[in-house]
Structure formats: structure tokens, C-alpha cells
């Protein structure tokens, strides 16, 4: 397995650099919280590319960040309203990311956060419609693979440029739950993509982060697993940011909030 760069100690990396941060599912919930936290940890002149299907929510977050302390000292926030389940949505994200890049940026960060729950009321034997399953997997698995591959091709390894890919995963990637076949399958497949990526790309930092049961719009998910013990997005995101700043995780590892 790949360890972090030995020249980068935890005491040397207390910000995320002058970064281009691409965050999917950024309009609400955990993705929105990631955007807020990253905006405070990147250096002036950094760029956030926020991606979601909800344009109004994205633009509200863009305005909020523009008025923040980070915005006042030069943070650039771009919005891409896109359906990542469609090829033109992926192309729009890559195009805006390339347009936003400048030579003084030293860190590319891609956060694969966008996901959907799917129908969690049905058992495996009810899923006979291939189009229904394909549609779910297209948004939750195919799009994250293709977006990651496209970003890595758009920003290849070069001296002085760090690259980090984060997959927001779940306990469901590791453990089966009755009636959750789509969600468990999607999370498991997606996590394996990034484990393979870590093996193939030793220069890349790859993290599978499981944020725990969050108090978000995914209430059925939270209620099922947490039994009332919900975490706020802020609590979980703070742990994620510390993992990124310390930068001593094994590339490709599954890190659960309860392990921290």
C-alpha cells in the first residue's frame, strides 16, 4: 500500500495549499459543509468548483463564500449546474475546472460526494428492470469513475503539483443491509474503484472517507443506522479536514469517522 510523501510531515501541512477544489453534490448537506470548510483551509487565490443539480442552492453558497473572509482575500468560487449521470454534465465540470486552473495553483482536490439513496424499501428479487438499475449505477458509480479519470487526464502528474481524490463512502460499502441493495452495491463498487486507483497511481493521494450517520436529508439512512445517534455534518467534516491536513493515511484506505 502507498503511504504519504515522507517529505510532507503533519507539522508542515496545516493548510491545503493554493488549491483547485472540485466538489460534487455541493449544494446541500455534507458536500456544502465540505465546501465551507475547504474554503477556510486553502490559501488565497484558490478556486472552488462547486457541482450539483440545484442551481439556486449552488448560487446561494457561492454568494455566501464570496462574502466570507476567504472570499474577501481572493477565493474564487465557480458553480457548475450539472447532472453527473449525463455525459454533458461530466464534460461541463471538466471544462470549468480546466478554465479555472492557473499555474500558481499547487494542489488539485477532487471530492466525489454526489450520491443518491435509491429505493430502500425493496428486496433484491424485486429489481428486474435493467433500466432502473442502470440509471442508479450511472449516477452513483459510473459518473464518479469517469469524472475522476477525466480530471486526472486533464491535470496529469507534474513537478510541484499535488493531487488528492476523496470518495465519500459508507459502512454500506463494507456491510450488507436488507433492502439496501442499490445503495450497498453502489458504495461497494465505488470504493473499489478508488482502492484500485491508489494501487495504480502511487503519486496520487486517495481517501475513502465514511462520514457516519449524518443529520441530513437522507433521514431514512440516518434513522436506520444511527437509532437517533446522529452526527452533524460539521462534526464529521472537521474530522475529514484533520485527516487531509495530517496527510498520514494510507492511500486508498477506508477511514471511518469512528476510527478517528
Amino acid at each position: 500500500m502507498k503511504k504519504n510523501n515522507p517529505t510532507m510531515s503533519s507539522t508542515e501541512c496545516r493548510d491545503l495549499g493554493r488549491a483547485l477544489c472540485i466538489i460534487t453534490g455541493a449544494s446541500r448537506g455534507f458536500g456544502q459543509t465540505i465546501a465551507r470548510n475547504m474554503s477556510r483551509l486553502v490559501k488565497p487565490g484558490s478556486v472552488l468548483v462547486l457541482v450539483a443539480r440545484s442551481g439556486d442552492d449552488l448560487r446561494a453558497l457561492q454568494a455566501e463564500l464570496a462574502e466570507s473572509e476567504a472570499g474577501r482575500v481572493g477565493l474564487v468560487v465557480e458553480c457548475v449546474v450539472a447532472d453527473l449521470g449525463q455525459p454533458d454534465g461530466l464534460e461541463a465540470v471538466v471544462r470549468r475546472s480546466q478554465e479555472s486552473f492557473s499555474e500558481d495553483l499547487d494542489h488539485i482536490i477532487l471530492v466525489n460526494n454526489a450520491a443518491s439513496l435509491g429505493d430502500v424499501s425493496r428486496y433484491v428479487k424485486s429489481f428486474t428492470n435493467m433500466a432502473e438499475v442502470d440509471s442508479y449505477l450511472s449516477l452513483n458509480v459510473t459518473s464518479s469513475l469517469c469524472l475522476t479519470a477525466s480530471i486526472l487526464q486533464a491535470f496529469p502528474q507534474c513537478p510541484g503539483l499535488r493531487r488528492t481524490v476523496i470518495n465519500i463512502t459508507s459502512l454500506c460499502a463494507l456491510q450488507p443491509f436488507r433492502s439496501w441493495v442499490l445503495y450497498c452495491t453502489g458504495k461497494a463498487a465505488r470504493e473499489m474503484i478508488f482502492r484500485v486507483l491508489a494501487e495504480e497511481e502511487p503519486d496520487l493521494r486517495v481517501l475513502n472517507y465514511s462520514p457516519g450517520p449524518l443529520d441530513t436529508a437522507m433521514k431514512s439512512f440516518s434513522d436506520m443506522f444511527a437509532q437517533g445517534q446522529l452526527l452533524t455534518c460539521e462534526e464529521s467534516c472537521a474530522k475529514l479536514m484533520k485527516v487531509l491536513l495530517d496527510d498520514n493515511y494510507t492511500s486508498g484506505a477506508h477511514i471511518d469517522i469512528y476510527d478517528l
Side-chain angles (χ1 to χ4, degrees), residues 21-37:
C21 306
I22 305 150
I23 305 168
T24 69
S27 62
R28 58 178 67 117
F30 197 56
Q32 184 183 76
T33 305
I34 291 172
R36 288 177 176 139
N37 277 261

Side-chain angles (χ1 to χ4, degrees), residues 161-205:
L161 182 65
R162 287 189 289 154
R163 300 185 300 166
T164 301
V165 176
I166 303 157
N167 173 42
I168 303 304
T169 186
S170 168
L171 175 65
C172 292
L174 307 179
Q175 186 173 335
F177 292 93
R178 292 161 65 94
S179 82
W180 286 65
V181 62
L182 291 183
Y183 193 78
C184 289
T185 299
K187 287 298 187 184
R190 191 154 132 172
E191 182 155 327
M192 186 54 75
I193 288 169
F194 295 99
R195 289 176 60 187
V196 170
L197 178 62
E199 292 294 320
E200 293 176 344
E201 301 283 342
D203 68 293
L204 196 63
R205 303 293 286 133

Side-chain angles (χ1 to χ4, degrees), residues 39 42-46 65-66 68-76:
S39 74
V42 294
K43 290 182 177 178
S46 294
L65 294 177
S68 69
E69 181 179 350
R72 291 194 296 271
V73 297
L75 177 73
V76 176

Side-chain angles (χ1 to χ4, degrees), residues 147 212 250:
L147 176 60
T250 298

